Amino acid sequence: MTHEFLKELGLEGVNSGACGAEFFEPGGEILSSYDPATGELIGQVKQATREDYERVVAEASEAFKKWRLMPAPKRGELVRQAGNAMRSKKDALGKLVTLEMGKLLQEGLGEVQEAIDIADYAVGLSRQMYGVTTHSERPEHRLYEQWHPLGNVGVITAFNFPIAVWAWNAMIAMVCGDSVVWKPSPKTPLIAVATQKLLHPIFAAEGVGAICSLLVGDLDNVGVPMVNDRRFPLISATGSCRMGREVASTVAGRLARSVLELGGNNALTVLDDAPLDLALRAVVFGACGTAGQRCTSTRRLFLQKGIAEDLTQKIVDAYKQVKIGNPLNEGTLVGPLIDTDAVAMYEKAIEAAKAQGGEVLAGGNVLKGEGYESGCFVEPTIIRATKDMAIVKEETFAPILYVMTVEDLNEAIDAQNDVDQGLSSSLFTVNMRASERFLSAAGSDCGIANINLGTSGAEIGLAFGGEKDTGGGREAGSDSWKVYMRRQTNTLNYGTSLPLAQGITFG
Ligand code: NAD
């Protein structure tokens, strides 16, 4: 099938996957990108070699020297133009996200909107990177902190948010005065190339060089060199906990910073007094949305015993209505998994759950036949489970929901927190004491804790990220920008003597 929007985004033939100060022809192998819904080839990207990597990083380092001196609001002006460029192509970019990643068109458009939103946010931020001042204990001295640009930021992204997560990092890092080098997921290279093609002319016209660069390449040529490279004082990496462990230890070994946004195993708890209609919708969206391929997807459901049977039945009934199909088609609620490896993981998890005593209440099958020829479509699945089953403690990146019954909130909180990951959590209740307990220091141990809404669908205004094996990183709003800068404490003596702090006299 030909897709006109690919041409609109400048994607034709074999596209270059390397751009520093300019797009150039890299020397690596060709990477093909397939539509997970149809299995059709969408496009191809020529990947970067180690030499291409060197070229782009050298150009990024050079560009940083000038970019860091440009006034931050002026940098914000270029980011404003970048946001507007994405706004002007929102429809085409959203369709490409859907085509290449497989999320629903509404979700694809929403993801591009999130990239635009963070650009708008970054423009405002460019005038608000405040440092504090305080009063000195010494006469005629002034004390303050200021924030300086950090350097090159390596942004490694996962397949499931192929543009938004990059934008969360890149837009903020650029107003902070850093240069950004993007290594996208090999499963979604075209959206990265299209975005780079759209934004690059803005920076080229301003003559700022390689402050917003792209390297599509494998781990040997790009991923691992980047993580090991001292020219990157910050690596921001989004993906599996396995990847995060490798990146964290390497980056820590060279005493640099990492921002890690890793796997989640998100739980939603419903108490007996909860608004059940809201809970039902939140569970179905949280567990089935993006075919269970959000880091914040609902994977575990704890139901208080009074409503457990009734609500479970309602959820099972709702799952029967969910239309599975091509995500570009209207009416589809669940699209494909990213590839057949993901399907194999889904099957493996269901087998493990059954072997550990789980009972499949809905779904459980890989779909075959017309419309499902790519082999990537699976039924959203509900499994009645117990909280001590080993598989329940793992993140399977597929639409599998484990349902468990609990006596009370205390049991739910203990069970919810008894996993390695700590990304998102939510509680449904109208009991003020219960909600406050859930949000208290003795409540949810996750980076995100919600009341009466689902585990997924965060806004950009506040910091996003999770604890424990989720990596501890924070991105997007609030004061997340600080990690992209270096803090300098300044003491200035405008007097004529040299008093020492703490009243010390010397000589
Ligand atoms: P993945 O770990 O397979 O790959 C993520 C990225 O890391 C890719 O670009 C990959 O090439 C790169 N990578 C892998 N090993 C590397 C290494 N040793 N050095 C450098 N780069 C390396 O993850 P995925 O399958 O693309 O994404 C799904 C995972 O991402 C899930 O676990 C999901 O929960 C997680 N995720 C987390 C968040 C969050 O904000 N917490 C957001 C999105 C996705």
Side-chain angles (χ1 to χ4, degrees):
M1 197 191 294
T2 51
H3 295 283
E4 281 306 312
F5 61 86
L6 294 177
K7 276 201 205 122
E8 189 187 335
L9 293 170
L11 296 173
E12 271 180 302
V14 179
N15 303 277
S16 163
C19 178
E22 57 193 333
F23 266 104
F24 64 94
E25 169 90 32
E29 287 175 10
I30 289 175
L31 178 66
S32 297
S33 181
Y34 298 93
D35 174 357
T38 61
E40 283 172 20
L41 180 71
I42 314 170
Q44 293 184 311
V45 179
K46 191 118 194 282
Q47 299 186 93
T49 60
R50 190 61 204 266
E51 290 70 42
D52 301 324
Y53 168 88
E54 284 302 327
R55 169 173 168 176
V56 168
V57 177
E59 288 176 357
S61 306
E62 203 47 41
F64 169 69
K65 289 184 195 157
K66 278 212 303 214
W67 182 243
R68 66 184 168 180
L69 296 175
M70 183 183 275
K74 183 90 188 13
R75 297 193 294 253
E77 164 56 21
L78 292 186
V79 167
R80 188 183 65 78
Q81 292 177 33
N84 281 346
M86 292 190 285
R87 193 176 263 117
S88 72
K89 297 283 179 209
K90 177 179 167 183
D91 197 56
L93 287 170
K95 283 181 179 152
L96 178 56
V97 170
T98 292
L99 188 69
E100 191 173 39
M101 185 276 156
K103 60 178 67 175
L104 305 185
L105 184 53
Q106 279 307 312
E107 294 176 318
L109 293 168
E111 179 170 349
V112 178
Q113 185 60 47
E114 203 171 334
I116 297 165
D117 289 346
I118 199 76
D120 288 349
Y121 180 93
V123 178
L125 176 69
S126 71
R127 292 179 186 269
Q128 298 176 72
M129 293 179 294
Y130 303 121
V132 297
T133 70
T134 190
H135 293 272
S136 172
E137 65 187 59
R138 288 168 280 185
E140 298 180 307
H141 279 57
R142 192 156 71 80
L143 279 181
Y144 63 98
E145 287 178 359
Q146 57 174 339
W147 295 88
H148 286 310
L150 187 64
N152 297 325
V153 176
V155 180
I156 297 172
T157 52
F159 79 85
N160 66 327
F161 277 93
I163 176 168
V165 168
W166 164 79
W168 286 1
N169 284 280
M171 299 300 139
I172 303 278
M174 285 195 288
V175 297
C176 288
D178 300 331
S179 60
V180 175
V181 183
W182 182 10
K183 190 208 97 56
S185 164
K187 296 173 186 176
T188 49
L190 289 174
I191 184 74
V193 171
T195 307
Q196 184 72 18
K197 283 195 175 197
L198 188 60
L199 267 49
H200 178 67
I202 295 167
F203 300 108
E206 196 66 27
V208 293
I211 58 107
C212 183
S213 304
L214 174 71
L215 280 167
V216 179
D218 61 22
L219 292 187
D220 285 348
N221 287 295
V222 178
V224 172
M226 180 184 268
V227 172
N228 280 282
D229 194 332
R230 290 183 66 84
R231 289 170 294 179
F232 286 94
L234 174 64
I235 298 287
S236 176
T238 301
S240 58
C241 297
R242 179 202 54 74
M243 175 279 286
R245 274 191 195 91
E246 289 170 18
V247 170
S249 59
T250 307
V251 174
R254 60 181 177 85
L255 302 180
R257 283 182 212 168
S258 53
V259 172
L260 299 170
E261 298 283 357
L262 311 175
N265 190 355
N266 317 296
L268 188 154
T269 297
V270 186
L271 298 185
D272 286 346
D273 67 70
L276 295 185
D277 50 335
L278 296 192
L280 172 65
R281 281 162 53 201
V283 170
V284 178
F285 176 72
C288 297
T290 326
Q293 297 171 109
R294 285 182 179 224
C295 48
T296 51
S297 289
T298 309
R299 310 206 180 277
R300 297 176 296 144
L301 181 62
F302 295 109
L303 302 178
Q304 197 171 10
K305 58 185 181 187
I307 48 96
E309 270 318 302
D310 183 40
L311 188 57
T312 303
Q313 192 53 52
K314 287 198 168 104
I315 298 168
V316 169
D317 291 345
Y319 267 50
K320 289 184 190 143
Q321 317 293 319
V322 168
K323 196 165 165 232
I324 306 164
N326 191 312
L328 281 171
N329 295 344
E330 231 172 274
T332 298
L333 284 182
V334 173
L337 292 182
I338 186 70
D339 54 24
T340 49
D341 289 348
V343 174
M345 304 285 274
Y346 163 89
E347 290 182 292
K348 205 170 139 206
I350 292 172
E351 282 316 307
K354 283 191 205 156
Q356 291 166 25
E359 180 195 352
V360 176
L361 301 179
N365 300 301
V366 178
L367 293 168
K368 298 195 168 68
E370 202 187 326
Y372 304 129
E373 290 87 352
S374 69
C376 294
F377 290 91
V378 302
E379 290 176 340
T381 300
I382 303 173
I383 297 179
R384 198 194 299 279
T386 53
K387 59 192 184 189
D388 49 353
M389 281 165 51
I391 190 71
V392 171
K393 302 196 178 190
E394 284 176 26
E395 179 198 51
T396 302
F397 221 52
I400 302 175
L401 179 68
Y402 300 107
V403 184
M404 291 154 278
T405 303
V406 289
E407 281 291 316
D408 54 22
L409 177 62
N410 287 344
E411 186 186 350
I413 291 174
D414 287 349
Q416 179 210 283
N417 292 347
D418 188 24
V419 292
D420 292 335
Q421 311 84 350
L423 182 52
S424 185
S425 59
S426 63
L427 174 70
F428 278 75
T429 183
V430 290
N431 181 323
M432 182 266 276
R433 285 189 182 141
S435 62
E436 288 295 327
R437 160 127 174 70
F438 185 71
L439 303 179
S440 77
S444 170
D445 66 1
C446 293
I448 298 167
N450 297 332
I451 302 293
N452 292 332
L453 69 156
T455 55
S456 61
E459 298 180 26
I460 58 131
L462 293 179
F464 178 93
E467 299 301 327
K468 303 194 291 185
D469 286 11
T470 302
R474 290 296 185 277
E475 287 173 351
S478 183
D479 65 350
S480 307
W481 60 270
K482 289 179 176 169
V483 78
Y484 303 93
M485 303 198 84
R486 65 183 170 87
R487 184 196 311 235
Q488 189 173 67
T489 299
N490 304 118
T491 308
L492 202 143
N493 176 2
Y494 59 93
T496 52
S497 62
L498 195 67
L500 299 178
Q502 294 87 42
I504 293 170
T505 52
F506 184 73

